Every structure is written in C-alpha cells, then in structure tokens.
Amino acid sequence: MRDSSKTPAEVGRLWFERMWDQREFHLIHELLGENAIGHLEGGAELVGPDAFVRFQEEFLEAIPDIRLKVNKLLSDQSDVCIHWSATGTHSGGGFGCNATGCELMFQGVTWLRVQDGLIVEGWDFWDMDRLMRKMSGGA
C-alpha cells in the first residue's frame, strides 16, 4: 500500500535498506511512480517499475549476495541524496558476464526526486564501467 505521507528521507532509506539490502521487492511498486524515470550511468534510462525490475533482476543475477549500506543521506522536501556502498561476490552471469568469483566493493551516490511518497525521478552516479570491467575479468 502506498503511503503519500512518507518523506523523501524515509523513501530513500526504504529504497536502499529494505528494498535493495533486505530484498523487500514489493517496495518497488510501492515506492516507484508508474512513469518514474531512472537515469543510469552510461546514459541508459529506465521508465517505470517493470523496467527497474528487469534491471534489478540482471544485477542480482550477477551479484546475488549484494549488500548495500547507506553511508550518508541528505534531504529536503522533494529530494533525497544517498551516498551508499555495496559489497558482493560476482557469482552469477548477469549483464552477459561469466561469473568470476571476485569480491566486489563499490560505492556511489543516488539522487531521488520524491512526490507524494513516490520516487518520480532518480540519478545514479557511480563507476559502473569499472564494475563491468571487473566482472568481465579485467582490472
């Protein structure tokens, strides 16, 4: 059930601590607006919950044990900015890469715009190219 009274800070914490880290996937449809736009590294965009679900499934296929931690969170009445870190093992074949078994550690920043308790737009800032190189067996 959607709760329009959630602040941007509450939405950001739920997104990272419960949806990503605790795998409470029902929160995708509870927190993400129907036409929400996600701007990913490399210029890719996701529109709506179903597109995000497909992206997340591929991510979790590659790194099924991923853990995310909120390091710092700043927010106002409409936006929340989250500095997060992630760890996991590249033990699956998502993103077209064979599993390398390497331990991964990476961090980034996600900026979310929230209206009426829903994420309506988001921007990710992290070195996805470096992560993909590492999962491809490179440096």
Side-chain angles (χ1 to χ4, degrees):
M1 171 176 265
R2 292 184 174 182
D3 180 357
S4 63
S5 68
K6 284 184 177 48
T7 66
E10 291 168 329
V11 169
R13 284 210 179 273
L14 285 169
W15 189 255
F16 282 93
E17 294 176 346
R18 299 218 357 236
M19 190 285 292
W20 267 109
D21 191 59
Q22 299 301 313
R23 312 288 195 273
E24 293 185 34
F25 300 130
H26 65 92
L27 289 171
I28 294 169
H29 291 280
E30 291 178 26
L31 297 176
L32 201 57
E34 196 59 39
N35 296 308
I37 300 171
H39 307 278
L40 305 180
E41 285 292 335
E45 288 189 348
L46 303 173
V47 179
D50 293 337
F52 179 80
V53 166
R54 288 188 297 276
F55 168 78
Q56 186 184 49
E57 286 171 347
E58 185 135 20
F59 211 99
L60 292 174
E61 182 182 342
I63 314 168
D65 66 342
I66 191 169
R67 288 302 197 220
L68 278 93
K69 176 185 168 200
V70 172
N71 299 319
K72 185 77 173 174
L73 182 145
L74 299 170
S75 72
D76 62 16
Q77 295 79 15
S78 62
D79 296 282
V80 58
C81 186
I82 303 108
H83 172 221
W84 51 265
S85 57
T87 59
T89 308
H90 181 219
S91 58
F95 296 113
C97 300
N98 293 325
T100 62
C102 69
E103 296 295 318
L104 303 170
M105 293 186 303
F106 54 102
Q107 64 180 328
V109 173
T110 299
W111 188 296
L112 301 172
R113 189 164 51 91
V114 177
Q115 289 178 346
D116 299 322
L118 294 175
I119 298 167
V120 295
E121 194 164 16
W123 297 263
D124 281 327
F125 305 98
W126 57 289
D127 194 351
M128 187 171 185
D129 286 340
R130 183 175 158 269
L131 178 64
M132 297 303 291
R133 282 193 308 276
K134 190 159 189 166
M135 289 193 313
S136 298

